[in-house]
Amino acid sequence: MIDELKVVRAGFAPIKGTRHLAHDRVVLDERGVVGDRGFALVSVDPEHPGSGRVLRTVQHPSLVAVRAEPAGRRLEVELPDGATASAEPVATSERITCDYWGRQVDLELLEAPHAALFSRWLGRPVRLARARRGDVVFAGAVSVVTTASLHDLARRVGDDALAAARFRPNLVVETDEPYAEDTWLGREVRVGSARLRIGVPIPRCAVIDIHPETGERDVRLLKTLASHRPLNRAGEPAFGVFAEVVAPGVVG
C-alpha cells in the first residue's frame, strides 16, 4: 500500500551551492528532480588542466547569496550587488575530472558569461561545468525533510522562523511526529504524481549553520542536532532522509 505525503515546499538549485529556491512545480524523473544541481562551479588545476575540484558550499558559503534559475535553455544568475548574467551555456570539447568529497566526477566545461560573474564574486577563477545527471548529486536522488522535525529543531534553537532552505531539501512534507521519517526506510510513498522509495538518513555538515540567503554563519544548528540525533561514523548528525524515484511524476 502506498501512502501519500503532502508536499508543502519543493525546491532545488540548478548550480550546486547557489541559493536553494522554492518552486511551485518540480518534475521528478528516475534520477531525481529535473534541473537540480545540473551545473557546478569548478576550480581548474593550472598545472593539470584536466583535473580540478568542485566548489563546496561549506568552503564557499557566499555562494548561497547568489540566485540562479533556469529559464528554458538559458541560465539566469543574479549576484547580491545586482550584477546579472542570462545566457545559454555552450558546450565545449573540454572535459575535466574533479574530486567531489572523495569521488571522481567527469564534467563538461562550458562557455558562458556566468563564469566571469562567479569569479569576481568569489575572488578566484572558476569555470562553469555541466555534470551528467546524478554525478554531482551526493547519495540519494531526492532529499526529504518533514515539518514536525523542522518545528522540533526550531524549538530547540529558539528560532520560530527556522528556514527549511538551510537544509536544501528537494521536498518538505507535512508530518505530525518529529523524526517519524527515521522509521520510513524502504517504504514507498506518493508525492504528487510520483512515487518514491525512502532510503537512509541524510548526514549533515556545517552548511546548515549558514543563513540560506546571505551565507553568514548565524546559528549553531549542527551542534544542536548532534546533541540529540543519531551520528554516523564521521560524527555527522542525521536530519531528513534520502529517497529514490520509483515512478517519475510531477509535484505541484
Side-chain angles (χ1 to χ4, degrees):
M1 179 177 179
I2 298 173
D3 296 314
E4 184 171 2
L5 295 175
K6 179 181 179 182
V7 177
V8 299
R9 184 187 189 275
F12 66 92
I15 304 176
K16 177 164 178 55
T18 57
R19 186 177 304 175
H20 195 273
L21 298 176
H23 292 268
D24 294 334
R25 180 180 184 272
V26 296
V27 177
L28 279 69
D29 67 10
E30 66 280 356
R31 292 188 179 273
V33 174
V34 174
D36 185 27
R37 293 169 287 183
F39 299 97
L41 296 167
V42 301
S43 59
V44 179
D45 185 342
E47 296 184 2
H48 303 90
S51 63
R53 286 186 175 274
V54 174
L55 268 61
R56 304 173 183 176
T57 316
V58 70
Q59 295 170 331
H60 303 278
S62 64
L63 279 175
V64 303
V66 180
R67 295 178 62 95
E69 296 192 67
R73 292 177 177 271
R74 300 174 73 84
L75 183 62
E76 298 182 345
V77 170
E78 181 180 2
L79 297 184
D81 62 10
T84 62
S86 179
E88 178 183 352
V90 178
T92 70
S93 59
E94 300 174 88
R95 304 200 70 86
I96 184 171
T97 300
C98 284
D99 174 80
Y100 179 61
W101 293 107
R103 292 184 297 132
Q104 297 298 301
V105 293
D106 181 53
L107 303 174
E108 175 186 40
L109 292 176
L110 305 170
E111 285 296 336
H114 313 81
L117 209 65
F118 278 107
S119 295
R120 178 174 68 81
W121 179 246
L122 296 169
R124 61 180 298 177
V126 297
R127 296 284 301 273
L128 183 68
R130 178 159 43 212
R132 288 189 298 256
R133 287 280 282 126
D135 270 4
V136 177
V137 177
F138 184 73
V142 179
S143 58
V144 180
V145 302
T146 66
T147 57
S149 298
L150 284 168
H151 293 156
D152 177 76
L153 184 57
R155 177 184 60 80
R156 291 174 184 270
V157 297
D159 181 3
D160 292 338
L162 185 67
R166 285 184 182 274
F167 299 93
R168 307 178 71 80
N170 294 131
L171 304 175
V172 179
V173 300
E174 191 171 272
T175 52
D176 297 323
E177 180 186 349
Y179 312 111
E181 61 273 21
D182 290 351
T183 67
W184 294 352
L185 181 63
R187 179 173 161 188
E188 289 192 12
V189 296
R190 184 180 297 280
V191 289
S193 62
R195 291 204 317 272
L196 305 178
R197 181 178 296 113
I198 303 298
V200 298
I202 302 174
R204 297 297 179 172
C205 67
V207 169
I208 65 174
D209 287 348
I210 66 176
H211 191 280
E213 294 183 3
T214 67
E216 297 176 356
R217 298 188 185 277
D218 60 348
V219 294
R220 302 190 69 181
L221 286 182
L222 191 65
K223 183 178 180 180
T224 301
L225 277 181
S227 71
H228 72 284
R229 295 290 294 146
L231 306 178
N232 64 11
R233 291 182 179 179
E236 299 164 322
F239 191 82
V241 289
F242 287 120
E244 300 295 333
V245 179
V246 176
V250 177
V251 175

